[in-house]
Amino acid sequence: MKIGCPAEIKNNENRVGITPNAALAYAQAGHEVFVQKGGGLGSAITDDEYVKAGAKVLATAPEVWAASDMIVKVKEPLAAEYKLMKENQLVYTYFHFAADEELTKACLASKIVAMAYETVQDGNILPLLKPMSEVAGRMSALMGSFYLAKTHGGRGLLPMGVSGVAPAEVVILGGGSVGTNAAFTAAGLGTRVTILDVNINRLEYLHDVMPANVTGLYSDPVNLETSIKTADIVIGAVLIPGAKAPKLLRKEHLKMMRPGSVIVDVAIDQGGCFETSHPTTHSEPTYVVDDIIHYCVANMPGAYARTSTFALNNATLKYGLMLANKGVEAACRESEALLLGLNTYKGAITFKAVAEAFGMLNNYKDPRAVVA
Ligand SMILES: NC(=O)c1ccc[n+]([C@@H]2O[C@H](COP(=O)([O-])OP(=O)(O)OC[C@H]3O[C@@H](n4cnc5c(N)ncnc54)[C@H](O)[C@@H]3O)[C@@H](O)[C@H]2O)c1
């Protein structure tokens, strides 16, 4: 198969879809790999490293898209890339369709096959979301702490406190991959952490593994309201796979919080779990509503690009090789995990929650049927 990796064009997105190690693995499996000139530089990877791994460097994004049967990326195609997508082309990347109707329509119109990292599911695990959730989770505690400084617009709290002065309180909504990593980092910084989830088994697990400064709480409206009243940082990390995030923190809740507190909506890529969230970028990461600082960067791991690129490739390569070696249909027939990642197929939606999000059930097809 001809496999292409264009440079990312989203604001401050420095990750890249294929590392030289992954390029070598694809080449050794008999595939041809094209990378865009300079595409790895944001992750401190040179063109030379790709050439040594057997990849061919092409000058522009249109050349890479045109040469490839399968595109391996990081972020969803942006408007400038819509016209580069080709009928029947397999695009293997994050899409987060439920938060983006325009992207959904563009992918349907171009009749690509969209294999979305975020819904590939192996048992209860989302293996291609997990590495980025680790990064974003750890980072969310750092970003929340950073903006608590008075000089960054916050309440002027040193997160870990000092002798005789209490540390900050961190509330985390959702105790999955993001929430757990946020909790470990916030706890390690010495803050007092409360983590809310609706999954009893997950709460049990958190109870067993978390340090003493982390408390697990069942997520219901009363516990949420009580927790946020004393929170200095609230981190949004809930997920209902493939669907829009539920709006747990509403506008009226902001008035109950202390001015200068920080909310970090990591779930913003699925529409956000705070009512007042809207996506921000690394160049302008925050804005203020009702005296509460909102940090809602949709591609947080882009800031720690090299770590993130290698962590992502460790997870995507296995499934990428299955897709390239067998073709998307056979790979999906053999792997339930990949079948669940199939979001659009040649003009039809094949992921029910996406069709439901936009009232497009008339254009929904069972993924099992399209790959049969
Ligand atoms: N902004 C970014 O750069 C970035 C990076 C990585 C991940 N994310 C996003 O972060 C979100 C969380 O990802 P994850 O990997 O942790 O998912 P996950 O599936 O591991 O965890 C989600 C958790 O939310 C819990 N949950 C569901 N409904 C809830 C509710 N009402 N109250 C409390 N908890 C609830 C679930 O039980 C689960 O434990 C996703 O939207 C993901 O796309 C964003």
Side-chain angles (χ1 to χ4, degrees):
M1 204 179 261
K2 295 182 190 323
I3 301 171
C5 176
E8 293 299 316
I9 58 171
K10 197 161 183 149
N11 180 294
N12 274 294
E13 179 51 75
N14 291 303
R15 287 171 291 176
V16 64
I18 295 182
T19 57
N21 296 6
L24 181 64
Y26 283 120
Q28 284 175 337
H31 305 290
E32 227 180 317
V33 181
F34 304 106
V35 295
Q36 188 180 337
K37 191 172 164 41
L41 288 178
S43 295
I45 301 170
T46 63
D47 290 343
D48 262 5
E49 291 178 76
Y50 284 113
V51 172
K52 283 192 189 118
K56 191 168 174 195
V57 176
L58 299 180
T60 64
E63 286 172 75
V64 174
W65 283 84
S68 310
D69 310 309
M70 171 173 166
I71 291 287
V72 183
K73 267 177 61 57
V74 180
K75 290 310 285 183
E76 72 283 357
L78 299 185
E81 294 170 316
Y82 294 167
K83 58 181 184 299
L84 304 179
M85 301 191 289
K86 297 189 296 187
E87 189 166 345
N88 297 339
Q89 193 171 41
L90 172 60
V91 183
Y92 180 47
T93 191
Y94 289 114
F95 281 96
H96 299 287
F97 280 117
D100 194 340
E101 187 167 0
E102 193 191 314
L103 171 71
T104 308
K105 287 184 171 157
C107 290
L108 293 173
S110 62
K111 302 199 169 157
I112 61 157
V113 177
M115 178 59 66
Y117 290 167
E118 70 277 7
T119 66
V120 171
Q121 187 169 348
D122 187 0
N124 282 335
I125 298 192
L126 300 166
L128 308 187
L129 194 58
K130 207 161 172 260
M132 295 305 94
S133 294
E134 266 188 61
V135 176
R138 290 171 191 210
M139 189 179 160
S140 65
L142 297 181
M143 291 299 106
S145 301
F146 178 83
Y147 285 104
L148 269 188
K150 190 75 191 162
T151 41
H152 299 140
R155 293 188 71 219
L157 247 75
L158 187 63
M160 58 292 290
V162 288
S163 52
V165 182
E169 293 202 18
V170 179
V171 170
I172 301 168
L173 310 180
S177 302
V178 168
T180 305
N181 279 282
F184 271 125
T185 308
L189 284 173
T191 63
R192 286 193 298 224
V193 183
T194 305
I195 184 161
L196 291 92
D197 204 300
V198 284
N199 181 335
I200 304 285
N201 294 333
R202 191 69 192 172
L203 286 171
E204 244 174 59
Y205 164 80
L206 293 169
H207 182 77
D208 288 346
V209 301
M210 283 292 157
N213 51 339
V214 178
T215 307
L217 259 191
Y218 186 74
S219 176
D220 63 28
V222 176
N223 282 341
L224 180 123
E225 218 168 283
T226 313
S227 311
I228 58 153
K229 280 179 183 159
T230 55
D232 301 296
I233 299 171
V234 179
I235 294 171
V238 302
L239 176 68
I240 298 168
K244 262 195 155 154
K247 304 284 179 210
L248 296 184
L249 194 82
R250 295 187 310 278
K251 187 163 187 342
E252 61 264 30
H253 285 129
L254 300 185
K255 296 255 190 297
M256 301 174 192
M257 295 179 63
R258 299 188 284 217
S261 301
V262 183
I263 62 180
V264 180
D265 199 347
V266 187
I268 192 66
D269 55 353
Q270 289 291 135
C273 58
F274 307 151
E275 191 182 23
T276 47
S277 297
H278 62 72
T280 59
T281 63
H282 286 293
S283 349
E284 268 186 74
T286 60
Y287 60 94
V288 176
V289 179
D290 291 344
D291 299 322
I292 305 296
I293 301 174
H294 290 52
Y295 176 100
C296 309
V297 175
N299 59 334
M300 292 172 69
Y304 296 101
R306 190 168 165 93
T307 303
S308 303
T309 288
F310 282 86
L312 182 62
N313 271 260
N314 289 344
T316 55
L317 178 62
K318 170 180 143 188
Y319 295 101
L321 279 171
M322 284 163 72
L323 290 165
N325 292 345
K326 297 167 195 276
V328 66
E329 290 83 3
C332 286
R333 284 196 299 271
E334 287 174 31
S335 160
E336 184 72 19
L338 279 174
L339 187 73
L340 290 165
L342 197 64
N343 274 232
T344 73
Y345 185 86
K346 303 179 184 178
I349 300 182
T350 48
F351 197 92
K352 207 162 206 168
V354 174
E356 282 167 355
F358 303 123
M360 289 188 196
L361 277 168
N362 58 334
N363 199 6
Y364 169 75
K365 282 192 182 153
D366 183 344
R368 245 173 255 284
V370 301
V371 301

